[in-house]
Amino acid sequence: MRLLLYLNQRTLRAVIVFAFSIFCIIGFGHVEPAFGKDDGVTSIFSPLAQPAQEIKETSLLVLAVCTVIFIVVAGLLVYALIRFRHRAGDEASEPPQVYGSNQIELAWTVLPVLIVFVLILVTSRTIANIQNRKPPQGTVHATIVGHQWWWEIRYPELGIVTANELHVPASDETGSRPTFLKLQSADVAHSFWVPQLAGKTDLIPNKENLMWIEPTKPGTYLGNCAEYCGTQHARMLIRVVVHTPDEFDHWVRDQQQATSVATNAAEGRKAFFANSCVNCHTIRGTSAQGKFGPDLTHLMSRETLAAGAAPNTTDNLRLWLRDPQRIKLGCLMPNMQLTDQEVDQMVAYLQTLK
Ligand code: CUA
């Protein structure tokens, strides 16, 4: 009786843990970002691009096979537990002892081997399809460098450098325009993951990884760094903005312009260049050529600050300059001890960087 009670408690606990895990997997897969007007979700179950679609199809096949195996094994287990349970009057007799059965042993060896073999073939085909893709005419090439804790994004052929928001064209009936990505890291291992577009790929120091994405639906897609990389790993968000081909070409032309010399924020400009901001940040067309932090040439074209940690608003920009640690504790931008006046002037200058 006591054993039964103990078993029941354990079973109950197991059921609760199992139910909670399922809730987490389904529930958290659809959690909206902390802020933003985005329609994007971070779910692998609603892919809107290749190769995410192909990966999902393979996953569903694997999931289906595993579900069938689970139902058969759990069903047999439950059947045996009930059918051969201990009954009153069983005490003295021992059940018949059976040693070996060629049929059963063959069955439970050959069947799993076949199942594993099929899964290996299907998975290999998917991996080969994805990895062996050659960039077609019209491909956009970008290099993404992981930093603690932000993403540097370069388009070497287009002469564009930006951060945290990757802009790509969508493929449509007029043609295929995938984006091929070279992934690198400036410090530790990171992982690029935008669930609706593709699987995860790591960014490893001293190694270059490759991946590609080919979305067909314009919109904003959200992703995270998926490899623990230090204090602010959780606030290393990435957005991929997918444009129609025309919009994308327009975006490229905007980004290629050097910043226009601001006439209305001379004080702020002076403050920016008098402080050590220039050692870490680049503003194209000026003497600011630092490489350690994000390129600020078109800062105001970005929706967020600090890799998605806060929306890019005047108030947040002010807070960020006053003390970056208030928005992103542990981030590598120091508190420059600016006065309120300097902060206001510098924000006015930064807001000219459109
Ligand atoms: Cu970068 Cu986690």
Side-chain angles (χ1 to χ4, degrees):
M1 187 61 209
R2 221 164 154 183
L3 181 72
L4 203 68
L5 204 70
Y6 175 66
L7 262 181
N8 276 346
Q9 277 181 355
R10 273 184 58 158
T11 317
L12 194 67
R13 217 177 303 151
V15 168
I16 290 173
V17 169
F18 181 71
F20 183 68
S21 314
I22 295 291
F23 169 79
C24 289
I25 291 166
I26 296 170
F28 292 161
H30 290 275
V31 162
E32 292 291 323
F35 63 85
K37 53 186 173 11
D38 322 272
D39 49 357
V41 291
T42 46
S43 169
I44 55 167
F45 294 108
S46 43
L48 284 171
Q50 286 300 9
Q53 183 69 41
E54 195 165 347
I55 293 172
K56 182 194 162 194
E57 280 157 19
T58 308
S59 315
L60 288 185
L61 175 78
V62 174
L63 200 64
V65 171
C66 291
T67 307
V68 171
I69 294 174
F70 175 78
I71 290 171
V72 170
V73 172
L76 284 173
L77 190 65
V78 169
Y79 171 78
L81 280 171
I82 295 171
R83 172 84 174 73
F84 301 107
R85 71 186 183 278
H86 184 266
R87 290 188 172 87
D90 278 353
E91 258 77 6
S93 64
E94 194 169 278
Q97 304 294 304
V98 182
Y99 294 100
S101 158
N102 284 341
Q103 285 97 322
I104 292 179
E105 280 171 23
L106 262 176
W108 73 40
T109 308
V110 172
L111 219 69
V113 167
L114 284 180
I115 292 171
V116 169
F117 193 63
V118 168
L119 290 182
I120 287 174
L121 287 183
V122 174
T123 314
S124 314
R125 194 187 57 184
T126 308
I127 293 173
N129 277 351
I130 294 171
Q131 281 192 348
N132 298 341
R133 170 131 197 229
K134 298 275 172 292
Q137 196 79 34
T139 295
V140 175
H141 291 274
T143 302
I144 299 191
V145 187
H147 292 257
Q148 283 177 318
W149 292 275
W150 60 281
W151 309 89
E152 176 183 344
I153 299 167
R154 305 179 155 266
Y155 299 78
E157 291 165 5
L158 303 173
I160 295 171
V161 181
T162 180
N164 304 321
E165 291 173 21
L166 174 68
H167 290 251
V168 303
S171 290
D172 57 16
E173 359 18 281
T174 63
S176 173
R177 286 194 81 181
T179 303
F180 275 61
L181 304 172
K182 284 183 182 164
L183 303 177
Q184 305 168 348
S185 170
D187 36 47
V188 298
H190 304 270
S191 181
F192 182 90
W193 190 33
V194 184
Q196 286 190 298
L197 302 182
K200 298 171 187 171
T201 309
D202 282 1
L203 298 85
I204 309 283
N206 299 318
K207 182 181 187 324
E208 187 170 81
N209 279 335
L210 303 173
M211 70 182 286
W212 57 270
I213 51 175
E214 184 168 7
T216 48
K217 188 170 167 273
T220 300
Y221 297 80
L222 301 175
N224 303 60
C225 178
E227 176 82 50
Y228 183 71
C229 55
T231 318
Q232 285 295 345
H233 158 70
R235 289 214 191 97
M236 187 167 166
L237 280 72
I238 181 122
R239 340 181 126 231
V240 178
V241 184
V242 178
H243 300 275
T244 62
D246 286 349
E247 266 175 28
F248 178 73
D249 294 338
H250 190 81
W251 178 85
V252 168
R253 278 196 299 278
D254 279 351
Q255 294 284 317
Q256 282 172 334
Q257 319 255 321
T259 172
S260 52
V261 177
T263 47
N264 58 338
E267 291 300 320
R269 187 183 153 87
K270 224 167 102 191
F272 184 90
F273 286 91
N275 280 282
S276 49
C277 316
V278 291
N279 295 336
C280 291
H281 295 285
T282 292
I283 298 177
R284 247 180 306 139
T286 74
S287 61
Q289 293 295 327
K291 296 277 184 277
F292 192 69
D295 187 298
L296 301 179
T297 310
H298 294 281
L299 174 68
M300 296 318 290
S301 72
R302 305 207 278 263
E303 278 181 59
T304 68
L305 296 173
N312 187 359
T313 63
T314 306
D315 283 348
N316 286 335
L317 202 51
R318 206 174 273 146
L319 185 61
W320 181 249
L321 291 189
R322 186 161 295 132
D323 185 5
Q325 307 295 319
R326 292 270 297 282
I327 290 183
K328 207 167 176 179
L329 187 66
C331 82
L332 301 183
M333 173 152 150
N335 183 340
M336 305 298 290
Q337 312 291 342
L338 302 172
T339 64
D340 282 357
Q341 197 195 11
E342 280 173 320
V343 168
D344 287 344
Q345 291 169 343
M346 232 185 251
V347 167
Y349 170 59
L350 290 177
Q351 286 183 329
T352 66
L353 304 175
K354 299 220 162 78

